[in-house]
Amino acid sequence: MEIALERGAGNGALPVYQQIAAHIRAEIAGGRLAAGDRLPPIRELARTLGVNRDTVALAYDALSSEGAVEATVGRGTFVREATAVPASRPDPALPELSGLVNRLMAFERARPRYGTARDCVPLHALVPDPALYPVEEFRRALGRVLARDGAELLLYGGPQGHVGLREVVAGRLRDRGVAASAEEIVLCHGASQGIELALRLFAEPGDCIAVEEPTYTNVLASLMALGLRPVPVPMGGDGLDLDALDAVLARPEVKLLYTIPTFHNPMGITTSVAHRRALLAAAQRHAKPLIEDAYEMDLRFTGRPVPTLAALDRSGLVVQLFSFSKALFPGARVGSLFARGRAIEGLLALKTATDLGGSLLLQAALAELVEEGSFDRHLGRVRRALRARMAAAAEALERELPEGTRWTRPEGGYQIWVEVPARVDTRDLFADAVREGVLFAPGHQFLHDGRASNGLRLTLARADEGEIARGIAALGRALRARLAVRSAPRERVLL
């Protein structure tokens, strides 16, 4: 059954996604779609209608919010039982969300949904294992600082954050070769807020930002939320394509580069000193700042440390992000920004306009945890666990994945990038893997345009060695089964 769409602005038509949703409502109300009937896959219906996948995803999500349909990971979207659905236009009295928010919602809906697959091995989550959290040590640190400083820690914190923690962070940066002082540190609510502040420091809505391809998916969301446009620079096995980067940075509308040179997310790779020097030289030629996301820099478990971009920078172009979320636990929501000169003044102005400061109590407790040695003892435990988990993953990948599959071999951090044979889209493989009992992060969500990808990210944060072996075995079964199907018959779908 065809869906007739009215296209073009200014003709009084509903947005296309609302037209699709209205048609499906009418089909349900008229009995032509019954409870349990399966709607077409988003990609298939988008191709049939000649619209973007996000448009169909918005329509399906609207129907799901109304209770008309139900989406199930690995199976599809189905009409719900005994649902009364209005076939009319949405209530005009309800406020219309902004176009930017609608785009953000579509972006979020394009991500995989993991909630209905709780029994699967979690090789998708980039959240540290709670079993490793130093809960008792942190409780004692909280008690000590509260007993010592009392009500002063319950005041507003100020935009720059607790001076004691800034001194601790600056000292750890100096240990890594960065000439940092506490006055050059701004504390923030995790790396997420730090990314947004650093982007706003140099760019305005409509500007372009150079990003690695693939890159951290939440950066793409931040760019969209700020009205900024990503300009992808391809990644290779040794990092950014420097020739492509030079051409991108030469463009006047490109204001800066966001990069993860150490334990890259999602690829897991670490670039060489030579590559870092060449990258800094390109930035200097074009006078473009760099945001260095060093969120996992404490998690090296093998190999020799590599100086960060901030340590190599002599021109003040690098703003470096750090976060306790991956090395310790995310609940404290504490990260930091290191910058020089007027950039610090700008960050403080942005921070003041954004919030009234973080929690002095949590920041003081973190400083205490680091200064009395518990943090480094915790890091030792985490690194040992990661070394064992990475060894288990390497063995399982070699044993379980079919010929033609490639993967990175990280020296630290939580993630491994896997590339399956090119004819497999890991967005499609995901449903097969869920049925086999494993979760991963499909590669399309790390690409600026969400296109099909044969890449996927595995993380070793929440699974132990036995679970990792089982999960990768399940991935191997799903991949071999999909490769064996050369031309599977199309499943009959309604509409």
Side-chain angles (χ1 to χ4, degrees):
M1 183 180 298
E2 294 184 357
I3 301 177
L5 298 175
E6 297 181 63
R7 304 176 191 260
N11 60 5
L14 286 172
V16 170
Y17 83 92
Q18 292 184 11
Q19 294 181 50
I20 297 170
H23 177 87
I24 295 172
R25 287 189 199 100
E27 295 293 290
I28 296 171
R32 292 177 292 279
L33 284 176
D37 283 344
R38 180 175 181 267
L39 299 185
I42 288 173
R43 294 178 68 200
E44 181 177 316
L45 185 55
R47 184 169 58 249
T48 300
L49 298 178
V51 300
N52 190 280
R53 290 191 301 267
D54 293 343
T55 302
V56 178
L58 276 170
Y60 281 17
D61 194 74
L63 293 167
S64 179
S65 298
E66 298 164 3
V69 301
E70 181 176 12
T72 305
V73 171
R75 295 184 59 224
T77 303
F78 296 84
V79 177
R80 295 188 65 177
E81 186 76 32
T83 304
V85 186
S88 59
R89 290 178 176 231
D91 185 347
L94 294 177
E96 180 66 25
L97 300 179
S98 72
L100 184 147
V101 170
N102 278 316
R103 290 192 295 275
L104 270 175
M105 291 192 301
F107 180 87
E108 289 300 319
R109 292 182 191 108
R111 301 197 202 199
R113 303 193 180 184
Y114 302 105
T116 59
R118 299 184 187 278
D119 294 332
C120 293
V121 177
L123 299 185
H124 67 296
L126 197 51
V127 180
D129 189 345
L132 298 175
Y133 294 174
V135 176
E136 183 58 26
E137 293 92 332
F138 189 63
R139 185 193 65 78
R140 291 197 296 266
L142 274 169
R144 287 194 298 270
V145 298
L146 194 56
R148 183 177 66 231
D149 297 323
E152 290 184 7
L153 295 178
L154 303 178
L155 297 169
Y156 286 119
Q160 196 156 4
H162 186 267
V163 64
L165 184 56
R166 288 191 283 116
E167 289 172 347
V168 164
V169 171
R172 294 181 76 84
L173 290 180
R174 287 194 296 272
D175 290 343
R176 295 175 177 274
V178 182
S181 70
E183 296 309 308
E184 295 170 313
I185 303 295
V186 176
L187 301 181
C188 52
H189 299 296
S192 298
Q193 187 190 45
I195 289 168
E196 181 179 337
L197 291 171
L199 290 169
R200 293 169 64 199
L201 184 63
F202 300 110
E204 297 179 348
D207 287 339
C208 293
I209 308 298
V211 296
E212 295 155 334
E213 182 95 304
T215 192
Y216 176 39
T217 185
N218 283 352
V219 164
L220 298 175
S222 293
L223 293 176
M224 185 178 296
L226 295 173
L228 304 172
R229 294 177 291 165
V231 178
V233 182
M235 288 282 285
D238 57 349
L240 277 167
D241 182 323
L242 293 171
D243 290 334
L245 175 66
D246 195 69
V248 166
L249 293 182
R251 295 166 50 178
E253 70 273 19
V254 174
K255 301 303 180 183
L256 61 93
L257 167 68
Y258 168 86
T259 180
I260 313 174
T262 304
F263 315 141
H264 181 270
N265 185 12
M267 296 186 70
I269 65 173
T270 296
T271 60
S272 66
V273 174
H275 189 281
R276 296 176 186 217
R277 292 189 187 281
L279 187 151
L280 283 168
Q284 290 166 8
R285 275 195 302 276
H286 302 292
K288 300 291 174 70
L290 305 175
I291 299 175
E292 179 187 20
D293 194 337
Y295 76 114
E296 282 185 346
M297 67 180 180
D298 280 332
L299 297 181
R300 175 173 289 278
F301 51 76
T302 190
R304 297 173 60 86
V306 182
T308 63
L309 293 174
L312 297 171
D313 177 33
R314 298 294 179 265
S315 302
L317 291 175
V318 174
V319 173
Q320 187 186 78
L321 294 166
F322 171 73
S323 173
F324 285 96
S325 295
K326 299 299 185 286
L328 190 57
F329 43 67
R333 304 307 303 133
V334 177
S336 69
L337 289 149
F338 163 72
R340 297 187 177 104
R342 293 185 67 235
I344 284 292
E345 183 181 356
L347 286 171
L348 290 176
L350 285 168
K351 191 75 164 51
T352 301
T354 302
D355 59 44
L356 294 176
S359 166
L360 286 177
L361 176 59
L362 293 178
Q363 293 172 4
L366 284 177
E368 176 79 6
L369 198 72
V370 176
E371 288 181 314
E372 57 89 14
S374 287
F375 179 59
D376 283 314
R377 289 192 292 274
H378 166 73
L379 284 178
R381 292 191 294 270
V382 172
R383 290 166 182 153
R384 288 191 293 274
L386 279 175
R387 187 182 303 117
R389 292 177 184 188
M390 192 64 71
E395 182 179 341
L397 288 165
E398 194 71 45
R399 180 179 64 248
E400 304 290 352
L401 295 194
E403 186 177 354
T405 307
R406 301 181 301 170
W407 55 88
T408 57
R409 291 162 173 79
E411 298 179 340
Y414 293 107
Q415 55 277 346
I416 302 171
W417 182 249
V418 178
E419 292 183 351
V420 303
R423 62 186 180 275
V424 175
D425 180 353
T426 55
R427 181 164 26 200
D428 298 331
L429 179 64
F430 176 75
D432 301 337
V434 170
R435 286 191 289 270
E436 291 289 345
V438 65
L439 298 173
F440 63 79
H444 73 277
Q445 63 184 308
F446 305 105
L447 305 177
H448 78 286
D449 55 2
R451 66 186 182 277
S453 169
N454 69 321
L456 62 93
R457 188 191 69 186
L458 301 178
T459 60
L460 312 180
R462 300 295 296 273
D464 62 25
E465 292 93 313
E467 291 171 321
I468 288 167
R470 291 197 301 275
I472 292 175
L475 175 62
R477 291 194 298 271
L479 179 55
R480 284 192 296 273
R482 182 157 286 272
L483 289 172
V485 180
R486 301 297 185 186
S487 55
R490 282 181 171 272
E491 182 181 356
R492 182 179 175 273
V493 295
L494 301 170
L495 301 186

